[in-house]
Every structure is written in C-alpha cells, then in structure tokens.
Amino acid sequence: MKMKAYMAFAKKSFLQKSAYRMEHWMGILNTLIRLVIYVEIYRALYGAREAVDGITMSMVTTNFILSLGMESFFVVDDFYLSYRIGNGSIASEMLLPVSFHGRMLADNLGTAAFKLIFHFIPAMLVAVLFIGISAPAGAASMGLFVLSVLFGYGVLWSISFMFQMFSFWLINVWAIMTIKNVFINVLSGAMIPLWFMPESMKNVIKFTPFESIYFTPVQIYLGKITGAEIAGGFIKQIIWIVCLLGIGMILWHKGQKKLVVQGG
Amino acid sequence: MIICKDVNKFILKGIELHVPKGVTLGVIGASGAGKTTFLKLISGLLSPGRGSIYTFRKDPVGKRREILKDIAVLFADIPVFNDELSVRDSLNEMKTIYGIEKERFTERTEYVADILGFKDILDTRVRALSLGQKRRAELGMCFIRDAGLYIFDEPCIGLDQNAKAAFYTLVKEKKQEGATILISSHDMEDISEVAERVLLLDDGEAVFYGSKDELVKKLIPMEECSIKLDGAIPDISDLEVEKLIIDNDMMKIYYNSNHVSSKEVIERICAGTMVKSLNFRRSGLGESIKISHFGRV
C-alpha cells in the first residue's frame, strides 16, 4: 500500500507541474540562455586555441550541456519542510501513517520526472542541434553515466534534506539555503568546469560532496575517468548519500523531539 | 483504549483517567484550560512532561506510526488541506494514504459531503473556501475514513446549526460502529448531545471526570428565575443564590433548587416588591457548569 501511496504522490506532483505552462517554457528558455552565455564566455577565453591543459572546447561545451541539462531536472524543494513548519501543517504530516521523507522524495521525483521529459529533453535537443556535444566515450560509458546521474541526484537531494532539517531551529532557512546553493553552483562544475580549478582547490573539492553531483557523471560520459576511478566515483557518491542522509535523519529525530516536547 | 497516569504537560496537572473503547468523551473547559494539549498528548503530537499515556495500549509518541492508521484527528490550530488543491484532490490523497477501497470511498464521500453540506464545493480550491466551508470539509475528511479513535478539537467553530446537527449525526453513527470519540469544546452545549462522559478541565486540572449523568446529578438542579419588576429591587441577600444579575427592571436569579425552593424565591420576591412577570426554567448543562465551576454564565 505504501509504495502505491508514494507513487500517487509522485503522480500528483507530476500532474500539478503540468498546470504551470508559462513557468515551464520560461524554465527551458532560462537553461538555454545560461548555456549560450557560459559557452560563449569560454569560446572567447579559448580564442583560436584548440585546447587548454588538454581540455578541448568541445569537452567544455559538453560539460555545460550535461551539467545544465541535469540541473534542469534535478529537482529539490529546499523549503519543503520550513514551509510546513511555518504554517503548522508539519503536525498534520506527523499524523499521517506515511514517511515524511518518503513523501518529500516522491513529490520531488514527480516534478523531476516531469522536468526530465518536458524540460531536459527539449532543451537538450536544441543544445545538441545548435551548439553541439561530444559523443559518449562508449556504450558502457553511457550506461555508467546514466547510473552516475541517478546517484548524483541522490547526493543533491541528500544535501538539501540535511540542510532542510535546520528549519526546526531557524525561523528562516533562506540564508543557509542560498549559501548552500552558491557552493553547489561553484564547486559542482556546473558554472566553472572543475578541470580549470587550481590543484589546491581541486584537493579541497575532492573532500566535498559537490563534484559527485554533476562533475562525476560528466567525467564518466567523456571517458575522462575509467576503471577504478569510475568505481571510486560511485563509491564516493554512495558514501556521501549515506552520510548526508544519516546526519539528516539524526537532525530530523532531534527536530521531531523538539516538536513533541516543546509543542512547536 | 486511552489511559492517562499522572500526566503533566504545560498547564495540565496530574491528569489521571481511563477512557474505555466505544465511549464518546467530551473535554470541556474555558479557553486555556488545557483541552488541546490533552488531545495532542492522546494523538502523540506532544509527549508528557511527567506521567504516561497509552493510546490503543501503546505509547502514542514512540509508536505513533503504528497507531495512526486507526486514528482520525482534527485540530483547530493545525491546517489539514493544501490550499492549492481542491477538496476532492485532498480527499483522494487521503484515500491513497489510508488505502481506502474505491467503492467504499465513493459511497462515504457522497454520503458525508451530502450530510455536512460540502458537496457543491468538492471541486473548489481550498484557498477559496470560507471558514465554515473549510471546517465542514475538514470534518468530512475525518468521517469518510473508518477509524477506531476520532479526536476533534473545537469541531463546532465556524459551524451553523445545520452543520452542527450533521456533525452530531455522524458522531452518533461512528459511536454505533464502536468507535471511541473525543470532542473538546469550551461550550458544553456543543457536546452535551453526543458526549456520554465528560472531562471538565479548569486551569489544567481535571475537576470532573465521569459520566454525563453523574455530572448532571452533581450540578443540576440549577434553576433560573427571570423576573420583570414593577417596583423597587427586593432584598434577597439572605437567600442562597449562585448568581444574581440585575439589568434595569429585569432580575435573573440562578439557584440550586436542592438548597432553595422556587416557592421560597417567589415568596421573597413578592414580599419585597411588585412583579410584572415571572419565568422559571431549569438551566442547561453548560450554564450549570459555568455557574458551578467558573462563577459565570
């Protein structure tokens, strides 16, 4: 029954999303505009050069197309919990015989599925036709890329999940969410390909979950990492998901305890 | 069904009671007496500061997930609906969450929406509803489900007389099916029709817990005598009255007829002044409680 309930939540958010057509078209336009801006900036920086430190312009373009493409359907609602704590409906949620996190994930996945079909695919078609993208390193790379994308979404969702738990103690989580999103944008490779980061910075990023979101899948697609490095990438993604969800769950139980002891 | 052992939380002090299965309990008290806190403790939304609570013989906080499927709850201060969804969408969501069979769900929705009068707003977005409409739909959401325990916190707020009557009908039906029902209100009249047991809270203390009949015996007979005077206000200071209200030429006397007889009252009034009219009536349960426990009407 429970799985059926979560499927129904996902379906509902999928259908709800389809009601906002204008928002949907503007979203596609936003992805394409950002893509063109990023690509043009790097084209200007590259000038007549074929490659910089072994990174070709085509690889940079592919990085942006894939990263922004993933970003277009990697849906997380950073304010899902804080909204419910703010209006008191968290109590209603606590009175339902379904998992709050499961419901949150199902809602997000429903929207993500909608965006994958109606945002990612059209935006990718336009990007591939008019900007161009490198082919995947091979069929296996493509399969591993898809798997890595799923884990990448898992990492992004887990980061948001953990940060959302601060809603139990903060009146407004907007500030910490903004900081979190700046880190994700800069350190995930979606804005600046991580190949161009200085070595010292790369060594720091290695120990954060951010590169696991977009950059690991892009590296696999392009064949920049192989064999043991791919396995290492997956292990890192899984470890981050487990750690972030674990911390998030500890905070969730502490937050829930606060609610039942203090009454809100 | 529900056991409270020396429960303390916020304003509540030393609540000790046992509500058997199938009982309809009215929780009454003035605003701030601890009614909502009591109901939140039962439903597992709050944990007791001291003492222990068992709902369905389980700790309602620790085993919340296990008991929730069998509890239908409506609190006055907790939003139930998503404002962006229609009432029907919210009901459908509930159907999925609780795994209600389609035929049963359709039949119950038809019946409950009809009796509570929200059939015509089923497809309206919740944010467009008035307080009364929303409340009727929220009550409907509880009654569509089959639960073993129903908890209603101030359910009559925003309801007109027809909706109140419909609510009482639905409560009686659920009671006949064997459900245990807890209803809180600041007004005894709201729940006297359906509650067979009463928990009277005053400043967090259970000043009475027992059957309604027992409460009636304890409080009643509280009589009310309304007199329209045609002369000076008579001196009745030596009569044992519970409450005296004088408004121009109108005089209202509340007295316990176990202590003072109506004959004594008439004789004393008529001996002291001229009277245009006299009217006697037995006070309602709500008025009696207010006079006896809170010293006001």
Side-chain angles (χ1 to χ4, degrees):
Chain A
M1 189 285 290
K2 276 191 178 169
M3 203 55 214
K4 212 174 151 192
Y6 296 125
M7 292 296 284
F9 296 145
K11 188 180 163 193
K12 190 192 78 191
S13 66
F14 183 98
L15 295 173
Q16 260 186 326
K17 209 67 205 160
S18 59
Y20 299 98
R21 285 183 197 162
M22 190 62 187
E23 184 193 306
H24 167 61
W25 291 116
M26 294 311 286
I28 295 177
L29 192 64
N30 176 291
T31 301
L32 291 172
I33 290 172
R34 282 174 63 201
L35 185 57
V36 169
I37 291 171
Y38 290 166
V39 169
E40 288 309 314
I41 288 172
Y42 276 84
R43 233 171 230 157
L45 290 171
Y46 265 67
R49 278 175 292 187
E50 280 281 309
V52 174
D53 294 339
I55 307 298
T56 62
M57 185 59 210
S58 164
M59 285 165 69
V60 172
T61 309
T62 303
N63 174 71
F64 282 130
I65 292 177
L66 293 179
S67 298
L68 291 176
M70 283 185 266
E71 198 189 272
S72 70
F73 72 92
F74 273 17
V75 176
V76 288
D77 181 353
D78 285 339
F79 302 97
Y80 194 93
L81 177 61
S82 67
Y83 173 75
R84 281 159 179 77
I85 290 176
N87 72 3
S89 60
I90 184 67
S92 287
E93 299 277 352
M94 284 167 67
L95 288 168
L96 294 176
V98 288
S99 145
F100 178 76
H101 328 107
R103 185 175 157 108
M104 181 162 80
L105 180 62
D107 276 353
N108 288 173
L109 285 177
T111 312
F114 175 85
K115 293 228 172 187
L116 177 72
I117 298 166
F118 298 105
H119 188 151
F120 172 77
I121 292 175
M124 282 305 100
L125 282 175
V126 174
V128 170
L129 286 175
F130 294 97
I131 300 173
I133 184 171
S134 300
S141 295
M142 190 61 199
L144 293 171
F145 163 74
V146 173
L147 188 61
S148 179
V149 168
L150 290 176
F151 285 129
Y153 178 69
V155 175
L156 182 72
W157 194 87
S158 307
I159 295 173
S160 173
F161 174 75
M162 189 196 79
F163 273 84
Q164 284 197 58
M165 295 305 133
F166 291 105
S167 309
F168 284 112
W169 295 273
L170 300 172
I171 291 170
N172 192 341
V173 288
W174 182 84
I176 60 161
M177 288 303 176
T178 306
I179 295 166
K180 175 208 84 167
N181 289 332
V182 167
F183 273 98
I184 289 175
N185 281 333
V186 176
L187 303 180
S188 67
M191 199 180 265
I192 306 162
L194 297 185
W195 302 302
F196 300 124
M197 288 282 183
E199 269 318 302
S200 56
M201 193 68 177
K202 277 189 205 167
N203 287 332
V204 173
I205 294 172
K206 256 190 225 168
F207 295 99
T208 71
F210 305 114
E211 68 168 7
S212 296
I213 302 170
Y214 304 121
F215 199 61
T216 303
V218 169
Q219 295 258 76
I220 293 173
Y221 177 92
L222 288 170
K224 289 286 287 177
I225 53 172
T226 50
E229 286 172 313
I230 294 179
F234 280 127
I235 291 168
K236 227 165 135 181
Q237 285 181 315
I238 293 167
I239 288 174
W240 275 118
I241 293 172
V242 171
C243 290
L244 292 162
L245 287 181
I247 297 169
M249 285 306 289
I250 291 169
L251 293 172
W252 162 258
H253 286 298
K254 284 191 178 300
Q256 241 193 342
K257 201 172 174 188
K258 178 179 175 275
L259 283 186
V260 297
V261 171
Q262 295 176 12
Chain B
M1 169 62 90
I2 296 162
I3 298 168
C4 294
K5 289 181 182 167
D6 189 27
V7 171
N8 288 257
K9 183 75 179 180
F10 303 148
I11 194 170
L12 291 180
K13 294 177 278 278
I15 305 293
E16 191 99 29
L17 56 85
H18 172 215
V19 184
K21 188 171 181 269
V23 160
T24 304
L25 173 70
V27 183
I28 59 164
S31 298
K35 303 184 294 291
T36 303
T37 301
F38 173 73
L39 295 181
K40 282 185 176 172
L41 286 164
I42 302 296
S43 62
L45 275 180
L46 285 174
S47 58
R50 205 184 72 205
S52 47
I53 293 181
Y54 300 96
T55 304
F56 292 113
R57 296 184 180 180
K58 286 176 181 158
D59 166 17
V61 176
K63 305 279 180 194
R64 196 192 302 129
R65 194 64 62 75
E66 289 174 31
I67 63 171
L68 280 178
K69 211 168 182 288
D70 214 18
I71 303 182
V73 185
L74 180 62
F75 283 99
D77 62 342
I78 299 175
V80 174
F81 292 124
N82 178 342
D83 279 355
E84 297 308 312
L85 296 181
S86 69
V87 174
R88 195 186 296 281
D89 286 342
S90 296
L91 295 179
N92 279 328
E93 196 173 282
M94 180 195 70
K95 170 182 159 270
T96 313
I97 291 172
Y98 292 97
I100 307 170
E101 279 178 20
K102 198 180 171 190
E103 291 75 26
R104 172 75 178 154
F105 175 75
T106 312
E107 176 203 317
R108 286 296 295 166
T109 305
E110 282 278 315
Y111 174 68
V112 173
D114 189 40
I115 195 167
L116 276 169
F118 67 90
K119 216 171 181 178
D120 54 336
I121 53 160
L122 275 171
D123 294 306
T124 309
R125 273 195 193 195
V126 171
R127 69 171 166 198
L129 301 180
S130 70
L131 173 69
Q133 289 174 317
K134 203 169 169 178
R135 178 103 315 210
R136 277 184 275 149
E138 285 172 344
L139 285 170
M141 199 169 192
C142 291
F143 284 114
I144 287 169
R145 278 180 57 206
D146 292 319
L149 173 63
Y150 291 83
I151 297 176
F152 298 102
D153 178 33
E154 299 279 2
C156 295
I157 292 176
L159 293 187
D160 56 27
Q161 286 309 315
N162 290 339
K164 276 188 191 177
F167 171 68
Y168 300 144
T169 304
L170 289 164
V171 166
K172 284 173 191 167
E173 284 175 6
K174 286 294 173 193
K175 185 182 158 40
Q176 273 178 0
E177 289 169 18
T180 307
I181 303 160
L182 308 186
I183 309 167
S184 81
S185 178
H186 60 280
D187 191 348
M188 183 64 200
E189 305 301 340
D190 277 348
I191 49 179
S192 61
E193 194 179 326
V194 285
E196 54 196 322
R197 281 199 186 206
V198 175
L199 169 65
L200 179 58
L201 292 171
D202 184 23
D203 204 21
E205 282 182 54
V207 291
F208 175 84
Y209 174 63
S211 72
K212 192 171 77 182
D213 295 341
E214 203 183 317
L215 181 66
V216 169
K217 271 185 212 158
K218 205 173 165 188
L219 297 171
I220 301 284
M222 189 69 72
E223 305 282 343
E224 179 192 318
C225 173
S226 303
I227 312 126
K228 195 166 174 70
L229 301 169
D230 194 20
I233 294 166
D235 179 15
I236 55 162
S237 54
D238 58 332
L239 268 183
E240 193 185 335
V241 299
E242 300 289 337
K243 187 101 182 160
L244 171 65
I245 300 170
I246 299 169
D247 184 14
N248 295 322
D249 60 345
M250 278 302 295
M251 197 174 177
K252 262 190 185 179
I253 305 167
Y254 294 90
Y255 57 96
N256 186 330
S257 59
N258 280 343
H259 304 154
V260 183
S261 70
S262 297
K263 187 171 170 257
E264 275 179 287
V265 173
I266 296 171
E267 281 174 359
R268 184 58 57 86
I269 300 286
C270 292
T273 189
M274 298 290 284
V275 171
K276 271 188 189 166
S277 65
L278 264 172
N279 184 29
F280 285 88
R281 81 173 178 97
R282 180 156 284 192
S283 294
L285 189 53
E287 285 170 314
S288 299
I289 290 170
K290 281 175 186 170
I291 294 164
S292 304
H293 284 275
F294 309 120
R296 61 183 167 78
V297 182

